[in-house]
Amino acid sequence: MAKIAVLPGDGIGAEIVPQALKVIKAVEKKFGRHFEFEKALIGGAAYDQKGHPLPEETLALCKKSDAVLLGAVGGPQWEKLPVELRPELGALLPLRKELGLYANLRPVRVFPQLADASTLKNEVVSNLDIMVVRELTGGLYFGEKKKEAIDEGFRVVDTLVYTTPEIKRVAKLAFELAQKRRGKVTSVDKANVLESSRHWREVVAGLAPEYPQVELEHMYVDNCAMQLVRAPKQFDVMVTENMFGDILTDLAAQLTGSIGMLPSASVGGRVALYEPIHGSAPDLAGKNLANPLATILSAAMMLRITFNMEEEARAVEEAVAKVLAKGYRTGDIMQPGMKQVGTEEMGDLVINEL
Ligand code: NAD
């Protein structure tokens, strides 16, 4: 039986993941599917109970499952821990590395019903559909880090490292996705300054002849940030290194109305991991205020990518669209004249539409 490891994590993770589970259970019922679920601790919650943010049993469970559904990790109470015990550095990054998840797919899609919820003009964002492919296990986040004392304080080092194969595999994925979409890849780098970016650009350009039907363009990351708010519809598939992708997708999330709307899939190994792009939102935790739709849409990506259940995935996405069309909103996407609901109610509404 298909097995899903369920890792709610910290903060709003404990509220949004149950909504996605409810939706998957409704899919089981409607389509006659069966999944096995097993929960485990990760992040600060795992540190508090087990002394480590990524306990061995959690990692073992993820490795023997078919897919992982994750909420979010982190919170102010764990920020002073030694680096290796902090939820993001001690759990999330090693989990991605251990599962070989080198690519993070972040679809930035604006539901027509939410075009007015964006801070940008309706005509700039309506029908926007971009796929960002973020490299996930290399670059600045994984390079060697150092902090050494000097006379006036410290000398601190973060290292940005990429190898040719690391760039090739993620770029190939971007080209393949573009072939199935509108046929354009924008590779984002900082080749005017960084050696690693110059190599990134060369490797990506070297692959282009293998995909003659895909148009390749290169763009500097600073210009890309500007273009994303100026004219985001120029993009189809965007591929970029780890930190650039992290920052640009938070920016892109706002085009969709809220970071609470953006799902993601991390792929590359046997087991894929599905999670919303946002964090644990400690300001909302425990208040039934968080938007669960990014997590529900991440579950839809899981149905499509890991389980090859296109019809089921579409049904979930359509149910979300219908709930929005009926005017239901969580606080983050609330607009005048709409009906505000909490996290749980939003989950129930999606199930009703299913
Ligand atoms: P965040 O994404 O948690 O929150 C940023 C803002 O977006 C906040 O105002 C929050 O209320 C809002 N927001 C986030 N998710 C929302 C949702 N589903 N519905 C409505 N509003 C939502 O980012 P942050 O505040 O920078 O970080 C908080 C904690 O999360 C930190 O400990 C950070 O390290 C961690 N974090 C974890 C992940 C992850 O687990 N993948 C990602 C980013 C940050």
Side-chain angles (χ1 to χ4, degrees):
M1 194 189 289
K3 188 173 174 92
I4 301 173
V6 180
L7 315 180
D10 305 317
I12 59 169
E15 296 165 75
I16 53 179
V17 166
Q19 307 315 313
L21 284 184
K22 282 201 299 209
V23 170
I24 301 174
K25 284 176 183 158
V27 165
E28 285 185 309
K29 220 172 177 186
K30 180 176 162 80
F31 293 91
R33 302 288 193 177
H34 298 288
F35 298 102
E36 193 189 324
F37 302 93
E38 192 171 335
K39 258 196 193 170
L41 290 164
I42 192 165
Y47 172 78
D48 288 346
Q49 290 188 42
K50 305 269 174 183
H52 196 280
L54 183 61
E56 267 173 33
E57 58 267 34
T58 299
L59 185 57
L61 169 68
C62 293
K63 284 185 172 170
K64 69 174 192 210
S65 300
D66 297 294
V68 181
L69 180 66
L70 177 84
V73 298
Q77 61 272 54
W78 300 291
E79 269 164 21
K80 297 230 153 54
L81 287 173
V83 170
E84 67 283 4
L85 292 177
R86 284 187 209 160
E88 277 186 286
L89 282 168
L92 215 45
L93 269 59
L95 180 62
R96 289 168 179 167
K97 195 85 178 176
E98 284 282 338
L99 296 178
L101 305 175
Y102 62 80
N104 185 219
L105 312 183
R106 299 188 159 189
V108 181
R109 224 175 273 141
V110 174
F111 282 86
Q113 302 84 354
L114 286 186
D116 288 326
S118 171
T119 41
L120 296 192
K121 289 184 197 132
N122 186 317
E123 64 264 29
V124 176
V125 295
S126 62
N127 297 316
L128 180 70
D129 178 9
I130 307 175
M131 176 64 85
V132 183
V133 182
R134 168 187 168 196
E135 202 291 325
L136 204 58
T137 51
L140 205 49
Y141 291 1
F142 282 91
E144 193 194 340
K145 299 173 201 307
K146 254 197 251 165
K147 183 172 180 179
E148 51 201 24
I150 56 169
D151 287 347
E152 302 85 14
F154 291 97
R155 180 175 177 272
V156 289
V157 180
D158 282 295
T159 325
L160 204 173
V161 182
Y162 272 113
T163 64
T164 308
E166 282 174 329
I167 302 168
K168 248 188 197 165
R169 62 187 183 184
V170 75
K172 265 177 187 267
L173 188 66
F175 278 111
E176 282 160 16
L177 285 166
Q179 276 179 325
K180 296 187 210 139
R181 291 170 48 97
R182 299 190 299 281
K184 183 176 171 188
V185 168
T186 305
S187 172
V188 179
D189 62 40
K190 188 72 185 165
N192 48 344
V193 178
L194 299 175
E195 194 57 48
S196 57
S197 278
R198 278 190 283 278
H199 190 56
W200 177 283
R201 195 174 273 222
E202 263 173 40
V203 174
V204 177
L207 284 174
E210 293 176 32
Y211 303 89
Q213 41 314 46
V214 177
E215 177 200 344
L216 170 66
E217 73 172 350
H218 303 279
M219 193 178 278
Y220 296 138
V221 63
D222 39 354
N223 180 29
C224 182
M226 179 180 73
Q227 296 299 336
L228 266 173
V229 284
R230 193 188 70 83
K233 285 188 219 168
Q234 67 185 284
F235 298 107
D236 176 16
V237 175
M238 186 185 288
V239 61
T240 190
E241 78 94 37
N242 204 341
M243 184 178 73
F244 296 161
D246 192 6
I247 297 170
L248 290 175
T249 48
D250 262 38
L251 188 159
Q254 191 51 38
L255 306 175
T256 71
S258 166
I259 198 165
M261 292 300 301
L262 237 69
S264 87
S266 301
V267 300
R270 190 192 68 79
V271 184
L273 182 148
Y274 300 85
E275 58 176 324
I277 80 151
H278 58 72
S280 59
D283 52 327
L284 302 182
K287 298 181 182 160
N288 194 35
L289 286 175
N291 185 346
L293 294 179
T295 317
I296 290 171
L297 293 169
S298 302
M301 289 186 88
M302 174 191 298
L303 294 172
R304 175 175 291 121
I305 297 174
T306 291
F307 299 115
N308 221 357
M309 296 179 185
E310 179 59 32
E311 196 189 348
E312 288 82 343
R314 232 175 248 264
V316 173
E317 288 160 355
E318 280 166 15
V320 169
K322 282 185 194 156
V323 171
L324 295 172
K326 288 186 175 170
Y328 294 105
R329 304 281 188 271
T330 42
D332 55 317
I333 47 174
M334 186 59 192
Q335 291 161 276
M338 300 292 148
K339 294 164 262 194
Q340 187 161 346
V341 295
T343 311
E344 276 205 38
E345 294 77 14
M346 189 52 108
D348 292 339
L349 286 161
V350 174
I351 291 170
N352 288 344
E353 288 302 335
L354 259 180

